[in-house]
Amino acid sequence: MQTILGANGQIAVELARDLARNHTTDLRLVSRTPKKVNETDETVSANLLDAEGTAAAVAGSEIVYFTAGLPGKTELWERDFPVMLRNALDAARAAGSKFAYFDNTYMYPQDDRVQTENTRFQPVGRKGRVRAQMASMVLDEMARGDIEVLIGRAPEFYGPGRTQSFTNSLIIDRMKAGKRPVVPVSADRRRTLIWTPDASRALAVLGNTDDAFGQTWHLPVDADRPTYQQFVHLAAEVFGTGDGYTVAPGWLLTAAGVVRPELRVIRELLPRYAHDNVFDSSKFEARFPDFTITTFAEGLSAIRAS
């Protein structure tokens, strides 16, 4: 039995699809209101803030994937995220389950240093501190050695369907709707973006590879690191639109976040858009050379087709 905690999010849905396609059909999907992704899925309703309910949902699992998310409100992150993760880790330990933690890069320095699995945490802002705290909890569990643990870490998303990211909301979704895209802070800094189905497929591969545990892995990304100017130009070619865009300076996005809840999150992350962002996934690529990474042209074409 492989169990996905936080089963309704984009990463979890793609993870469930890939696990069933390539690894196992013995899947349990856990959230407050879980929905089947595959016909054979087992669904369990549980609140990860409830330790007993989490333990019951995890019981009997060989592998547990933590992909849970929360709305963007910072207070929720600070109050609930560490509790949810602690309950999940405790439940996995009680069940003797392996634990695969899906992580992001909020805890990394927001500058132009190349990001590797050994990059030291230097969080900027309250959400970054929460993610650093959570990653440290998982690393402590890994060091303790009672259960097998791994971290799969992803940079900013772009992708199909319900993918939630600034690149999707400010650029892709606006271009699809015939609107002028908005580029945060700078159009000439290199970006690293991960195709969401690739992130899920890679997490499934790691979870089903024995020697992947006990390590942190950067999930695989296209070797190209386009600037937003280049990204918009490529998207325009794929979508058949103009390639004009508007650069929104940091002060404007900060001010907009006061009245637009969807932009509040970006305020803490603005420094990273002023620098090249180079996320190095060469460790994964060396270990799994047959893993096919989706190019930006392929990803944008898939978005257009969907």
Side-chain angles (χ1 to χ4, degrees), residues 85-86 89 101 103 107 121 123 128-144 151 153:
L85 179 57
R86 173 50 57 204
L89 286 167
Y101 175 61
D103 201 6
M107 76 295 292
F121 298 169
R129 287 191 287 272
V130 172
R131 296 305 305 207
Q133 177 188 357
M134 294 171 69
S136 296
M137 289 167 60
V138 179
L139 290 170
D140 289 345
E141 190 73 45
M142 190 185 297
R144 188 178 298 114
I151 295 174
R153 183 167 292 141

Side-chain angles (χ1 to χ4, degrees), residues 11 66-67 101-108 115-117 131 135 150-158 164-165 192-203 206 216-221 269 272 277-281 284:
I11 293 299
F66 186 93
T67 64
Y101 175 61
F102 182 75
D103 201 6
N104 67 21
T105 61
Y106 281 24
M107 76 295 292
Y108 280 164
Q115 297 171 350
T116 72
E117 289 86 351
R131 296 305 305 207
L150 67 81
I151 295 174
R153 183 167 292 141
E156 183 178 337
F157 300 159
Y158 84 106
Q164 296 182 10
S165 74
T192 302
L193 305 172
I194 192 167
W195 177 246
T196 48
D198 282 1
S200 299
R201 288 194 300 119
L203 191 64
L206 291 171
T216 296
W217 298 84
H218 277 187
L219 301 179
V221 295
L269 302 175
R272 73 177 181 176
N277 175 247
V278 181
F279 175 93
D280 181 355
S281 62
F284 183 99

Side-chain angles (χ1 to χ4, degrees), residues 266-286:
I266 201 172
R267 287 183 290 180
E268 292 185 7
L269 302 175
L270 287 177
R272 73 177 181 176
Y273 292 98
H275 302 278
D276 288 341
N277 175 247
V278 181
F279 175 93
D280 181 355
S281 62
S282 59
K283 174 182 173 180
F284 183 99
E285 295 162 35

Side-chain angles (χ1 to χ4, degrees), residues 34-35 55 68 110 117 125 136 138 146 250 303 306:
K35 298 177 182 178
Q110 295 191 30
E117 289 86 351
S136 296
V138 179
D146 293 336
I303 290 172
S306 65

